[in-house]
Amino acid sequence: MSSLRFKVVDEAFNRKADPVEIPAERPEKYYGKYVFNRQKMFEYLPAKTYEALCNAIDNKEPLPREVADEVAEGMKRWAIENGARHYTHWFQPLTETTAEKHDAFIDHDGKGGVVENFTGKLLVQQEPDASSFPNGGIRNTFEARGYSAWDISSPAFILGNTLCIPTIFISYTGESLDYKTPLLRALNSVDRAATAVVRLFDPEVNHVKSYLGWEQEYFLVDESLYSARPDLMLTGRTLMGHESAKNQQLEDHYFGAIPSRVEAFMLDLEIECHKLGIPAKTRHNEVAPNQFELAPIFEETNLANDHNLLLMSLMAEVASRHHFRVLLHEKPFAGINGSGKHNNWSLGTDTGTMLFSPGKTSKDNLQFITFVVNVMAAVYRHNGLIKASIMSATNAHRLGANEAPPAIISIFTGTQLANILSRIATSSTDDLIDLNDKEEINLNLSQIPEIMIDATDRNRTSPFAFIGNRFEFRALGASANCASPMIAINTAVSEQLTLFKEAVDKRLAQGQPLRTALLEEIRTLILESEPIHFDGNGYSDEWKAEAARRGLDCETSVPAIFDSYLAPASIKMFTEAGVFSKVELEARNEVKWEMYTKKVQIEARVLGDLALNHIIPVAMRYQSMLLDNVLKIKSVFTANKADSLIQSDMEAIEAIAFHINSIRNDVKDMVNARKVANRIPAEREKAVAYHDTVVPVMDVIRDHIDHLEQMIDNEMWPLPKYRELLFIR
């Protein structure tokens, strides 16, 4: 084994679980310790200030500046008492990560010293450099001014020694340069539209809230092995590597016993999450070796999204304490499952009704059917856009494999709901809608309590599945910002509910009873959205052909998929809802195309370097050893005997020569393809060129390298192999 590889593998396999400092008290005692939640607000703010802030949060009203000054003072006292020395506006630029600039709580005291100070002005607004973040051409390099502004609906928190204040991020000219701004706009839009429809059933409802429960999948790799793989370090995935003889084919990792070292990391992470108010609840082994999942309790979408972004940075910090590296790339290893971030999405009223849950009365069930059918219609109308909302250079490696949803958006409903929708669509009467939420399974085992089964099964091949009281959008990638699909889904549903309400109001004006008007519109939507309804195997080739016949978006090229954002229907929907302007949409697509190009460009550069400077030299050394062996055999044995003895060596020498020459030529072709693409000025066309001409060559280069890995002496191979990366205990 090569000296470096031997050292890091030995170090990784002999590492033991690190002890975790477990708080003496139970989680409820330290949960939210570092969050300026309502309990802390009540304690540190004057009563009138507390009431004004809570009223502004609950009713989505602006906060007066004088109230902001009092909030800032109370927030500062709380933060300093908990060890904070700095504050920062914590925002979500279009980089898929978060951003922060730390300032100390100090100001001149006028006497040559300093005093710790924090005002409402500093709390409410800051000025990050808007030209230094992705902006799609909205800001020039010399036009640097931008603003971050406090989001009062997401509580501030302390991370390390810094008070973090969740904020939006906009340009000097008012366009959004982040994910939070349009997400808040989309949530406001669906609130208005859904509330108008709900009031047809319950006039007491004032607001409808969007809820999100994400499921974060991830891989863990020992830090020593990670450091010995330049491709992992620089791109987040292995650009080469032959499959391990044993990977996930025995299906023994999923829900298996958690390795002690991993469990120590998970426990440490959960404690840190709970201190920061992240309701981490579920942990388990995922399907692939060294793949795991963490899931929280559901929260309102804006806060849930903030918590997921905070979690991703927290995971990296905690992992380093346990000598791990967290991989959030959607496909870090070929041949085994990649990582997603399932978005469980639902809507609920301020009176406590969950709109995707069947009820006990016909009226409740009619409301339930109304909202489910409108979601189906919205997803059908904008299936290409919703796919674009989760697409990226990294997620493209995961979608479509027999592990993740296909790159075609469809909705799974389950047999019971499908039968009900069919009955409504074909019936001309106003029959009662009966929904059995759960049924009992009799196992005839006295020692086993009764098991209640849900009204729907689960379909792991469906990207958008109804699973009883929510929709599970399974297509989002593990590294992505949940806001992207939440913006698209909530806005699409908002538009559809608005159209539905207008159609129902028109029928009511014509004298139809409310129940009849609702059912007539529901029937229309069921029939119109039928192409999006599919309860079968989404992995099959037959479905791909059927989806195309139904007119669903079947595009697989990432740069072309992004075009859906600029489709006339998308522009109309976003602008009318006030979520994006046309300028903002165009700018964001420029960013998406540019980010795609840059990610592929980096991967291609890393692959070329590894191929020429790591793999080929080792292959040539091994080839030289074989040639030396051939010459020695020829010098010892007779010609006939030698020819028979060296045959396998000669075949190996020839095969190695073939792969070496192919790699050199392919790397040259890849570099030339990059050079040609780089000269294209338009970001979309450049991204298309990278997709069409660079990516295919990278796949060919990898195939040659993976063949060499199987041929070359194990002790000479320079990089940790899959069997070493994936089975650390």
Side-chain angles (χ1 to χ4, degrees):
M1 186 182 294
S2 65
S3 58
L4 175 60
R5 183 166 143 237
F6 178 85
K7 178 181 178 182
V8 298
V9 170
D10 184 63
E11 182 179 345
F13 272 84
N14 287 291
R15 208 187 300 277
K16 303 299 181 184
D18 290 336
V20 178
E21 185 177 342
I22 303 175
E25 61 269 24
R26 302 302 297 172
E28 61 268 20
K29 297 297 183 181
Y30 59 82
Y31 187 85
K33 177 180 179 181
Y34 296 122
V35 182
F36 196 63
N37 53 27
R38 296 205 182 197
Q39 178 186 349
K40 311 295 194 322
M41 292 177 193
F42 184 81
E43 181 179 352
Y44 284 87
L45 300 180
K48 289 186 178 180
T49 303
Y50 171 77
E51 292 175 4
L53 179 56
C54 290
N55 180 66
I57 294 171
D58 293 338
N59 296 306
K60 302 180 181 181
E61 296 177 354
L63 191 71
R65 278 299 177 101
E66 59 271 17
V67 175
D69 283 329
E70 295 174 343
V71 173
E73 177 59 29
M75 190 183 291
K76 182 200 72 174
R77 285 194 299 110
W78 167 77
I80 291 174
E81 286 179 16
N82 283 274
R85 302 176 65 87
H86 294 76
Y87 64 90
T88 182
H89 274 200
W90 185 80
F91 57 98
Q92 307 168 23
L94 302 179
T95 57
E96 302 288 348
T97 59
T98 57
E100 52 198 65
K101 174 178 69 74
H102 298 187
D103 288 300
F105 285 114
I106 63 169
D107 205 349
H108 288 296
D109 65 357
K111 302 172 185 176
V114 295
V115 61
E116 290 187 305
N117 188 34
F118 187 55
T119 65
K121 180 180 179 181
L122 297 175
L123 169 64
V124 169
Q125 183 175 315
Q126 293 283 293
E127 292 189 17
D129 188 340
S131 66
S132 296
F133 291 99
N135 60 70
I138 287 178
R139 299 263 79 191
N140 294 311
T141 303
F142 59 87
E143 296 173 322
R145 192 183 297 275
Y147 299 114
S148 57
W150 178 30
D151 171 18
I152 64 173
S153 64
S154 185
F157 56 91
I158 297 172
L159 193 59
N161 297 310
T162 303
L163 171 66
C164 299
I165 303 156
T167 62
I168 64 169
F169 179 39
I170 61 173
S171 73
Y172 177 69
T173 47
E175 294 88 1
S176 64
L177 298 176
D178 66 342
Y179 283 100
K180 181 182 277 283
T181 303
L183 176 61
L184 292 173
R185 292 170 178 168
L187 297 178
N188 287 338
S189 180
V190 79
D191 177 10
R192 292 190 298 269
T195 299
V197 174
V198 171
R199 283 178 175 166
L200 296 172
F201 303 91
D202 183 1
E204 299 301 315
V205 171
N206 293 313
H207 289 289
V208 170
K209 301 175 183 179
S210 171
Y211 293 93
L212 170 63
W214 39 263
E215 303 169 25
Q216 181 70 61
E217 294 177 342
Y218 61 95
F219 281 85
L220 289 177
V221 175
D222 185 89
E223 65 180 5
S224 300
L225 298 172
Y226 175 87
S227 299
R229 290 285 311 219
D231 49 354
L232 273 181
M233 293 177 63
L234 297 175
T235 72
R237 76 179 181 109
T238 54
L239 299 176
M240 59 192 70
H242 197 279
E243 292 183 28
S244 171
K246 177 185 183 298
N247 47 46
Q248 67 186 46
Q249 67 266 49
L250 295 180
E251 301 175 333
D252 56 343
H253 192 258
Y254 190 55
F255 279 23
I258 301 172
S260 59
R261 188 177 158 204
V262 175
E263 188 171 6
F265 157 77
M266 288 178 166
L267 177 58
D268 199 359
L269 178 62
E270 285 175 7
I271 292 170
E272 296 298 327
C273 283
H274 293 162
K275 289 178 181 178
L276 287 165
I278 303 172
K281 183 176 178 66
T282 302
R283 66 188 190 191
H284 62 81
N285 287 7
E286 257 299 334
V287 173
N290 272 23
Q291 187 188 32
F292 309 94
E293 179 177 296
L294 181 150
I297 302 171
F298 282 41
E299 300 177 286
E300 290 187 38
T301 296
N302 180 42
L303 180 59
N305 190 57
D306 283 359
H307 279 167
N308 181 251
L309 290 166
L310 177 56
L311 171 85
M312 290 194 288
S313 61
L314 198 61
M315 289 173 80
E317 179 184 338
V318 174
S320 67
R321 297 206 292 255
H322 295 264
H323 308 287
F324 279 125
R325 295 288 182 168
V326 173
L327 303 182
L328 293 177
H329 192 288
E330 282 72 11
K331 193 74 170 179
F333 303 102
I336 61 175
N337 278 18
S339 295
K341 180 149 49 191
H342 304 166
N343 277 202
N344 295 276
W345 169 75
S346 60
L347 296 174
T349 70
D350 58 355
T351 59
T353 300
M354 299 309 295
L355 298 176
F356 300 143
S357 293
K360 296 181 180 180
T361 67
S362 176
K363 179 181 177 182
D364 292 340
N365 286 331
L366 181 57
Q367 177 178 276
F368 159 73
I369 291 294
T370 295
F371 277 88
V372 167
V373 169
N374 272 280
V375 170
M376 294 178 67
V379 174
Y380 173 59
R381 287 163 58 92
H382 294 287
N383 69 96
L385 170 67
I386 290 172
K387 178 169 69 176
S389 74
I390 52 85
M391 189 51 68
S392 66
T394 52
N395 204 23
H397 295 287
R398 166 180 165 265
L399 293 181
N402 288 345
E403 54 169 288
I408 302 169
I409 301 299
S410 63
I411 290 181
F412 166 85
T413 62
T415 303
Q416 185 187 23
L417 182 55
N419 290 339
I420 290 169
L421 295 178
S422 177
R423 194 179 81 209
I424 294 173
T426 57
S427 173
S428 59
T429 66
D430 292 354
D431 292 337
L432 294 178
I433 303 169
D434 296 319
L435 290 166
N436 295 320
D437 190 19
K438 294 189 177 182
E439 298 177 1
E440 182 180 334
I441 296 179
N442 184 3
L443 299 177
N444 293 319
L445 294 172
S446 59
Q447 65 268 44
I448 303 296
E450 66 180 17
I451 295 177
M452 305 301 291
I453 62 171
D454 288 295
T456 62
D457 197 356
R458 290 199 180 203
N459 186 328
R460 297 184 66 83
T461 74
S462 174
F464 206 102
F466 176 72
I467 53 174
N469 59 4
R470 63 191 184 276
F471 286 91
E472 183 182 24
F473 191 29
R474 299 173 54 84
L476 186 65
S479 67
N481 189 320
C482 296
S484 183
M486 288 297 100
I487 292 166
I489 291 169
N490 282 289
T491 308
V493 171
S494 167
E495 177 195 53
Q496 177 55 44
L497 288 171
T498 299
L499 294 173
F500 178 80
K501 179 64 165 53
E502 291 173 353
V504 170
D505 285 347
K506 185 176 181 180
R507 289 180 179 275
L508 294 176
Q510 294 170 351
Q512 284 190 355
L514 175 60
R515 185 180 181 82
T516 302
L518 290 169
L519 282 170
E520 287 298 323
E521 285 305 313
I522 288 172
R523 289 188 183 104
T524 299
L525 294 181
I526 292 173
L527 294 173
E528 287 180 356
S529 62
E530 181 58 28
I532 204 73
H533 181 198
F534 179 65
D535 286 354
N537 181 8
Y539 294 155
S540 68
D541 291 333
E542 291 80 5
W543 165 236
K544 295 176 184 177
E546 172 65 15
R549 187 188 67 78
R550 294 186 184 190
L552 300 181
D553 191 308
C554 298
E555 181 62 65
T556 57
S557 168
V558 176
I561 287 172
F562 291 149
D563 290 344
S564 290
Y565 272 100
L566 298 180
S570 299
I571 294 174
K572 181 176 184 293
M573 177 190 77
F574 281 125
T575 55
E576 289 184 354
V579 174
F580 288 122
S581 67
K582 187 171 184 289
V583 170
E584 287 172 323
L585 285 170
E586 291 170 342
R588 281 168 189 263
N589 258 31
E590 288 292 302
V591 172
K592 289 178 182 294
W593 287 317
E594 184 180 9
M595 292 296 285
Y596 176 86
T597 297
K598 288 179 177 178
K599 287 183 178 180
V600 177
Q601 185 182 76
I602 290 170
E603 287 189 350
R605 288 173 173 172
V606 172
L607 179 61
D609 171 56
L610 290 176
L612 298 180
N613 299 317
H614 291 68
I615 304 304
I616 286 181
V618 170
M620 293 178 66
R621 283 201 299 273
Y622 183 63
Q623 184 185 51
S624 179
M625 290 171 59
L626 293 177
L627 286 168
D628 185 58
N629 189 52
V630 166
L631 293 175
K632 288 178 180 178
I633 289 174
K634 284 188 173 184
S635 68
V636 173
F637 296 96
T638 62
N640 289 338
K641 183 67 173 177
D643 288 343
S644 64
L645 293 175
I646 67 174
Q647 181 178 351
S648 60
D649 279 353
M650 291 302 297
E651 290 174 353
I653 290 168
E654 184 176 355
I656 291 172
F658 166 74
H659 290 302
I660 289 174
N661 289 334
S662 297
I663 290 171
R664 281 176 169 157
N665 291 332
D666 290 335
V667 169
K668 183 178 180 181
D669 291 343
M670 179 181 67
V671 171
N672 288 334
R674 286 208 324 264
K675 290 179 178 178
V676 171
N678 290 339
R679 288 195 290 268
I680 300 174
E683 292 296 345
R684 183 190 184 280
E685 284 66 33
K686 184 186 297 184
V688 169
Y690 264 86
H691 175 274
D692 293 347
T693 64
V694 178
V695 172
V697 185
M698 293 174 62
D699 294 337
V700 173
I701 294 170
R702 175 176 188 146
D703 185 64
H704 286 297
I705 293 174
D706 290 354
H707 275 90
L708 287 175
E709 182 182 327
Q710 291 292 94
M711 301 172 63
I712 292 173
D713 186 345
N714 179 63
E715 292 190 2
M716 296 179 65
W717 195 253
L719 305 176
K721 297 185 176 183
Y722 273 24
R723 66 171 184 263
E724 297 153 356
L725 289 164
L726 291 170
F727 294 96
I728 301 299
R729 291 292 182 265

